[in-house]
Coordinates of all heavy atoms in Angstrom, one line a residue:
R26 N 78.0 93.4 96.9 CA 78.6 93.7 95.6 C 79.5 94.9 95.6 O 80.6 94.9 95.1 CB 77.5 93.9 94.5 CG 76.8 92.7 94.1 CD 75.8 92.9 93.0 NE 74.8 92.0 92.9 CZ 74.9 90.8 92.2 NH1 76.0 90.6 91.6 NH2 74.0 89.9 92.2
L27 N 79.0 96.0 96.3 CA 79.9 97.2 96.5 C 81.1 96.9 97.2 O 82.2 97.3 96.9 CB 79.1 98.3 97.2 CG 78.0 99.0 96.3 CD1 77.2 99.9 97.2 CD2 78.6 99.7 95.1
S28 N 81.0 96.1 98.3 CA 82.2 95.9 99.1 C 83.2 95.0 98.4 O 84.4 95.1 98.5 CB 81.8 95.2 100.6 OG 81.2 94.0 100.4
L29 N 82.6 94.0 97.6 CA 83.5 93.2 96.8 C 84.3 94.0 95.7 O 85.5 93.8 95.6 CB 82.8 92.0 96.2 CG 82.2 90.9 97.1 CD1 81.4 89.9 96.4 CD2 83.4 90.2 97.7
A30 N 83.5 94.9 95.2 CA 84.2 95.8 94.1 C 85.3 96.6 94.8 O 86.4 96.8 94.2 CB 83.2 96.7 93.4
K31 N 85.1 97.0 96.0 CA 86.0 97.9 96.7 C 87.3 97.0 97.1 O 88.4 97.4 96.9 CB 85.4 98.4 98.1 CG 86.4 99.3 98.9 CD 85.6 99.8 100.1 CE 86.6 100.6 100.9 NZ 86.0 101.0 102.2
V32 N 87.1 95.7 97.5 CA 88.2 94.8 97.8 C 89.0 94.6 96.6 O 90.2 94.6 96.6 CB 87.6 93.5 98.4 CG1 88.7 92.5 98.4 CG2 87.0 93.7 99.8
A33 N 88.3 94.4 95.4 CA 89.0 94.1 94.2 C 89.9 95.4 93.8 O 91.1 95.2 93.4 CB 88.0 93.9 93.0
K34 N 89.4 96.6 94.0 CA 90.2 97.8 93.7 C 91.4 97.9 94.6 O 92.5 98.2 94.2 CB 89.3 99.0 93.9 CG 88.3 99.2 92.8 CD 87.4 100.4 93.0 CE 86.4 100.5 91.9 NZ 85.3 101.3 92.1
E35 N 91.2 97.5 95.9 CA 92.3 97.5 96.9 C 93.4 96.4 96.4 O 94.6 96.8 96.5 CB 91.8 97.1 98.3 CG 91.0 98.3 98.9 CD 90.4 97.8 100.2 OE1 90.5 96.7 100.7 OE2 89.6 98.6 100.8
K36 N 93.0 95.3 96.0 CA 94.0 94.3 95.5 C 94.8 94.8 94.3 O 96.0 94.6 94.3 CB 93.2 93.0 95.2 CG 92.5 92.3 96.2 CD 93.4 91.6 97.2 CE 92.5 90.9 98.3 NZ 93.3 90.4 99.4
I37 N 94.1 95.5 93.4 CA 94.8 96.0 92.3 C 95.7 97.1 92.6 O 96.7 97.3 92.2 CB 93.7 96.5 91.2 CG1 93.1 95.2 90.6 CG2 94.4 97.3 90.1 CD1 94.0 94.3 89.8
E38 N 95.3 98.0 93.6 CA 96.1 99.1 94.0 C 97.4 98.5 94.7 O 98.5 99.1 94.6 CB 95.3 100.0 95.0 CG 96.0 101.4 95.2 CD 96.5 102.0 93.9 OE1 95.7 102.1 93.0 OE2 97.6 102.5 93.9
E39 N 97.2 97.4 95.5 CA 98.4 96.8 96.1 C 99.4 96.3 95.1 O 100.6 96.5 95.2 CB 98.0 95.6 97.0 CG 97.3 95.9 98.2 CD 96.7 94.6 98.9 OE1 97.2 93.5 98.6 OE2 95.9 94.8 99.8
S40 N 98.8 95.8 94.0 CA 99.7 95.3 92.9 C 100.4 96.5 92.2 O 101.6 96.4 91.9 CB 98.9 94.5 91.8 OG 98.4 93.4 92.4
R41 N 99.6 97.6 92.0 CA 100.2 98.7 91.4 C 101.4 99.3 92.3 O 102.5 99.7 91.8 CB 99.2 99.8 91.2 CG 98.2 99.6 90.1 CD 97.3 100.8 89.9 NE 96.1 100.5 89.3 CZ 95.9 100.4 88.0 NH1 97.0 100.6 87.2 NH2 94.7 100.1 87.4
T42 N 101.2 99.2 93.6 CA 102.3 99.7 94.5 C 103.5 98.9 94.4 O 104.6 99.4 94.4 CB 101.7 99.7 96.0 OG1 100.6 100.6 96.0 CG2 102.7 100.2 97.0
R43 N 103.3 97.5 94.3 CA 104.4 96.6 94.1 C 105.2 97.0 92.8 O 106.4 96.9 92.8 CB 104.0 95.2 94.1 CG 103.5 94.7 95.4 CD 102.8 93.3 95.3 NE 103.8 92.3 95.2 CZ 103.5 91.0 95.2 NH1 102.2 90.6 95.2 NH2 104.4 90.1 95.0
L44 N 104.4 97.2 91.7 CA 104.9 97.6 90.4 C 105.8 98.9 90.6 O 106.9 99.0 90.0 CB 103.9 97.7 89.4 CG 104.3 97.9 88.0 CD1 105.2 96.8 87.5 CD2 103.1 98.1 87.1
R45 N 105.2 99.9 91.2 CA 105.9 101.2 91.4 C 107.2 101.0 92.1 O 108.2 101.5 91.8 CB 105.0 102.2 92.1 CG 104.0 102.9 91.2 CD 103.3 104.1 91.9 NE 102.6 103.7 93.0 CZ 101.3 103.4 93.0 NH1 100.6 103.4 91.8 NH2 100.7 103.1 94.1
S46 N 107.2 100.1 93.1 CA 108.4 99.9 93.9 C 109.5 99.2 93.0 O 110.7 99.6 93.1 CB 108.1 99.0 95.0 OG 109.2 98.5 95.7
A47 N 109.1 98.3 92.2 CA 110.0 97.6 91.3 C 110.5 98.6 90.2 O 111.7 98.7 89.9 CB 109.4 96.4 90.6
R48 N 109.6 99.5 89.8 CA 110.1 100.5 88.8 C 111.1 101.4 89.4 O 112.1 101.8 88.8 CB 108.9 101.3 88.3 CG 109.2 102.4 87.3 CD 108.1 103.4 87.1 NE 107.9 104.1 88.4 CZ 106.8 104.8 88.7 NH1 105.8 104.9 87.8 NH2 106.6 105.4 89.9
D49 N 110.9 101.9 90.7 CA 111.8 102.8 91.4 C 113.2 102.2 91.5 O 114.2 102.9 91.4 CB 111.3 103.2 92.7 CG 110.0 104.1 92.6 OD1 109.8 104.6 91.4 OD2 109.3 104.3 93.6

């Protein structure tokens, strides 16, 4: 459960990075 939660956070962070790139 902990490792899945960590993976979920990583996926969201990847999406945030894509969003920041588009914003820039």
Side-chain angles (χ1 to χ4, degrees):
R26 287 180 198 278
L27 287 173
S28 68
L29 288 174
K31 184 178 174 187
V32 169
K34 287 177 184 161
E35 288 170 3
K36 299 284 186 194
I37 290 297
E38 195 50 47
E39 286 171 19
S40 295
R41 287 185 202 278
T42 302
R43 291 171 76 177
L44 182 64
R45 280 192 294 272
S46 172
R48 180 196 61 196
D49 292 345

